[in-house]
Amino acid sequence: MAQITEDSRTESKTRSKVFIGRIVHSKSLKHLEILPKAALGVAKDGTISFLDSSITSAEEARAKYSPSGFADADYITLTPLQFLFPGLIDTHLHAPQWPNLAIGMEGNLREWCENYTDPIEASYSDTAKARRVYSDVVQTTLRLGSTTVAYNSTIHAEATNALADMCLKYGQRAVIGKLCILVGSTRGNWEESSEQSLADSEKSINYMRQIDPEARLLHPCVQPRGGSYCPPELMGGLGDLSHKYNEDDKHALRVQAHMCETTSDRDRALGLHKKFKSYAEMYHGYGMLHSRSILAHCIHLSEMDMKLLKETKAGVAHNPNSNTCLRDGECRVRELLDWGVKIGLGTDCSAGYMPSITDAMRSASNVSRYLAMKTGEEKWILGFEECVYLATMGGAEVVGLEDKIGNFEKGKEFDALLVDVDRVISVSEWDGEGEEGGLVLVKKWVFLGDDRHIKGVWVGGERVAG
Ligand SMILES: [Zn+2]
C-alpha cells in the first residue's frame, strides 16, 4: 500500500467518492445496522451525501448520482469480505505514557503513578522527545482505526502544542489539553503555581485555536488530572476557563479529567475539597461538569454522582483494559446506561496496555461478564451491538461531536474504516451473506482481527492511513 503523504491526503479529499458494498454502523445502542449492499457517497467537502440501500452496483450508483455532483467521483466496489465501519473513537489516552505500554502492571494506581507515570511525564520538558513520541502515537492510533482521540498530555505547554501539531499533520480528530497538577504528585511532575498552570493552559488553548481556527480537527480542553491534584483555587480557575471561549459550539472548550478511579483516589480528592460530599459534586461546584466534560473511569460512583452526570450531560470514558490492569474495579456500564449517562470507550494507555479500540470493545465485553459472574446477574453483560455503539456513537457523544461523527448519517463527516476480513482467523467457512452473515464478519473482525485488516482510514473524507 502506498505511503499516505500530505499531498495524497489532500487529493483524497478533493475527489468525491462512492463506496458500493456492505455498510455497518450503529443506529442506536441496540440497533447495529448492517446493509449487505448499499452505496455511500462522500462529497468533495468530506461529508456524507447519501447512504442508499436501493443501490447494488457501481453502474446503478453512477446512473443515479452522476447528475447530483458525482459524475467525476471515484466509484469503489468492496469485495464480499470487506465492509465500511465508522471511525473508532478513543475517549481517553495518555499520549506521553506511550513508551510505557505493556509495562508496570505490578502495582496499584498509586504505585504505578509514582514508579511509571510521574517519571515519564516529567521528561516531556524535552519538547523534541514529545515530537518524536507523539508522531508515533498519532500515526499508530490512526492505523489502528482511531479517527478521534481524547488525549491527556503533560504539564508542559510546548509538548502539548507538539501533540496538537502531530494531530493536524497526520489528520486525526482530537481533544487535547495541557495537564494541570499542583499537589499530590511525585518526581517533580507538578507545576509551580495555580497562576502558571492556568496561564500555560490558556497558552495551549490559544495555540490550537490559532493553528486550527475553524476547529476542523482540534478541540482544546482544560485538563485537571483529578481532584487530588488541583487545590480549590486552581479548580475554580479551570472551571471559569472552561466557559471562556463559548462564542459558538464549535469553539467551546471541553473538560477532561479523572473521576472515581479507585476509592482511595476519591477519598483523597474529597479530602482536598472538603466542602463537597461527592466527586461529581466537586467538579460541578467548580463549573466543570457540563455537556462537554469527559470523565475517565467513574467506577466508584455514589447515586449523587450518577444523578449529576445525567443532569449535566457530562460523559464517561470507560477504560476496561486499564481498570483490569490496575485492579481499580469494574465500571457499572449497564447502570450508567440505565441512568441515561453518555458513555464511550477509552484505551487509557498506558495503564491499559493496548492502544486499540477494538481491544477496548473486547475488554468491555469481558469486564461486563466478570461483573455478571460476581453478582450472579446477567443484566450486566454488554451485547455486541452495545459494544460497537460505545466504540463509535457513544464515543462521539462523550467528546461532544455526535452531530458530526459516530455513524454514517447524511451530512456527517466521513470518518470511516475499510475493513477486510479476508485472512481473519476462521473466516474462510463464512460467506457473509445477508444481514446475519454480515454480523458474523463484523464479530470476527472485532474479536479476532487487528490493524492488518484495516485497509483504509478516512477522517473528514481524507485518507489518513491504510
Ligand atoms: Zn487516565
Side-chain angles (χ1 to χ4, degrees):
M1 193 66 69
Q3 184 106 34
I4 299 286
T5 62
E6 283 188 61
D7 285 350
S8 68
R9 271 175 47 203
T10 309
E11 195 195 320
S12 72
K13 181 157 183 172
T14 52
R15 293 185 65 82
S16 51
K17 294 171 274 291
V18 179
F19 295 89
I20 300 101
R22 186 181 291 106
I23 316 272
V24 180
H25 68 156
S26 285
K27 301 284 279 186
S28 69
L29 188 63
K30 306 246 184 215
H31 182 198
L32 179 63
E33 183 171 70
I34 299 178
L35 301 170
K37 200 117 204 192
L40 186 148
V42 183
K44 286 176 182 164
D45 69 356
T47 60
I48 297 166
S49 286
F50 58 86
L51 175 55
D52 186 340
S53 58
S54 73
I55 299 279
T56 58
S57 71
E59 292 68 38
E60 282 179 46
R62 204 183 286 274
K64 185 166 176 182
Y65 289 101
S66 280
S68 45
F70 285 87
D72 62 347
D74 292 332
Y75 285 77
I76 303 141
T77 303
L78 308 189
T79 72
L81 291 179
Q82 292 181 334
F83 55 86
L84 276 189
F85 195 86
L88 300 168
I89 297 169
D90 188 341
T91 59
H92 191 67
L93 189 156
H94 293 261
Q97 297 173 16
W98 191 254
N100 283 351
L101 288 173
I103 60 172
M105 272 179 256
E106 298 79 15
N108 61 24
L109 173 65
R110 200 69 192 157
E111 292 158 343
W112 175 78
C113 279
E114 185 168 341
N115 297 324
Y116 291 90
T117 301
D118 289 335
I120 198 150
E121 286 192 355
S123 73
Y124 286 79
S125 51
D126 176 354
T127 309
K129 175 177 179 176
R131 290 196 167 274
R132 210 165 56 235
V133 173
Y134 296 163
S135 166
D136 187 26
V137 171
V138 173
Q139 291 184 83
T140 305
T141 51
L142 276 173
R143 205 180 67 228
L144 290 165
S146 294
T147 48
T148 300
V149 180
Y151 283 113
N152 274 237
S153 67
T154 62
I155 57 172
H156 315 96
E158 293 302 327
T160 304
N161 296 351
L163 178 56
D165 287 340
M166 293 304 154
C167 291
L168 209 52
K169 177 175 180 188
Y170 295 112
Q172 189 173 53
R173 222 178 275 290
V175 177
I176 299 173
K178 182 200 69 70
L179 191 65
C180 299
I181 304 174
L182 211 56
V183 296
S185 188
T186 67
R187 318 283 186 120
N189 190 28
W190 60 79
E191 298 169 287
E192 278 169 24
S193 65
S194 291
E195 293 73 28
Q196 182 220 334
S197 181
L198 288 165
D200 283 352
S201 295
E202 205 160 355
K203 202 164 136 187
S204 278
I205 289 162
N206 283 322
Y207 181 76
M208 285 181 257
R209 287 167 59 87
Q210 179 207 323
I211 61 171
D212 188 13
E214 288 303 309
R216 189 174 65 85
L217 294 175
L218 302 179
H219 302 278
C221 71
V222 300
Q223 196 170 89
R225 194 194 227 181
S228 58
Y229 298 96
C230 301
E233 74 275 11
L234 178 53
M235 280 292 193
L238 289 170
D240 292 345
L241 182 56
S242 83
H243 295 278
K244 185 168 173 182
Y245 295 96
N246 282 0
E247 66 264 28
D248 54 44
D249 280 354
K250 198 158 65 177
H251 291 97
L253 296 180
R254 283 155 177 80
V255 172
Q256 275 201 84
H258 294 81
M259 189 163 105
C260 296
E261 184 169 1
T262 64
T263 49
S264 52
D265 159 65
R266 179 194 63 200
D267 296 346
R268 271 198 306 276
L270 293 177
L272 193 58
H273 302 271
K274 290 197 190 310
K275 64 176 181 169
F276 301 107
K277 286 190 284 300
S278 89
Y279 215 133
E281 191 198 17
M282 182 271 293
Y283 282 133
H284 192 45
Y286 294 116
M288 243 182 296
L289 214 57
H290 42 68
S291 62
R292 305 179 310 281
S293 307
I294 306 166
L295 284 319
H297 306 302
C298 296
I299 299 171
H300 306 280
L301 299 177
S302 66
E303 194 161 322
M304 181 189 268
D305 290 322
M306 281 194 243
K307 200 160 168 282
L308 278 170
L309 287 172
K310 157 79 179 153
E311 281 174 9
T312 59
K313 298 189 172 66
V316 171
H318 171 41
N319 308 292
N321 185 320
S322 158
N323 298 155
T324 303
C325 290
L326 291 178
R327 292 160 281 145
D328 298 330
E330 302 97 348
C331 176
R332 302 192 306 274
V333 175
R334 175 69 60 214
E335 198 173 4
L336 287 164
L337 290 170
D338 288 347
W339 271 86
V341 173
K342 301 187 299 191
I343 180 159
L345 298 181
T347 57
D348 193 20
C349 291
S350 68
Y353 55 77
M354 185 63 186
S356 143
I357 287 294
T358 47
D359 172 79
M361 283 191 251
R362 301 190 281 262
S363 297
S365 172
N366 287 352
V367 167
S368 76
R369 280 152 215 274
Y370 277 104
L371 207 46
M373 285 189 269
K374 193 165 139 184
T375 59
E377 294 172 333
E378 292 210 353
K379 68 168 188 183
W380 297 103
I381 296 174
L382 294 173
F384 182 72
E385 291 80 359
E386 293 176 313
C387 290
V388 173
Y389 186 87
L390 296 180
T392 54
M393 262 319 292
E397 289 165 3
V398 169
V399 299
L401 293 172
E402 66 275 16
D403 295 334
K404 221 174 160 183
I405 55 172
N407 64 10
F408 294 133
E409 269 174 31
K410 187 179 167 185
K412 285 192 175 183
E413 300 270 326
F414 183 64
D415 284 18
L417 315 180
L418 173 57
V419 180
D420 189 332
V421 294
D422 189 20
R423 294 172 191 268
V424 168
I425 298 166
S426 85
V427 154
S428 57
E429 290 301 311
W430 295 89
D431 56 17
E433 285 289 313
E435 206 169 324
E436 278 302 308
L439 180 60
V440 168
L441 299 189
V442 182
K443 285 180 173 174
K444 295 281 181 189
W445 171 59
V446 169
F447 285 102
L448 297 163
D450 54 46
D451 57 308
R452 287 171 297 180
H453 311 110
I454 299 176
K455 302 295 181 191
V457 180
W458 287 264
V459 174
E462 285 187 3
R463 189 165 185 165
V464 291

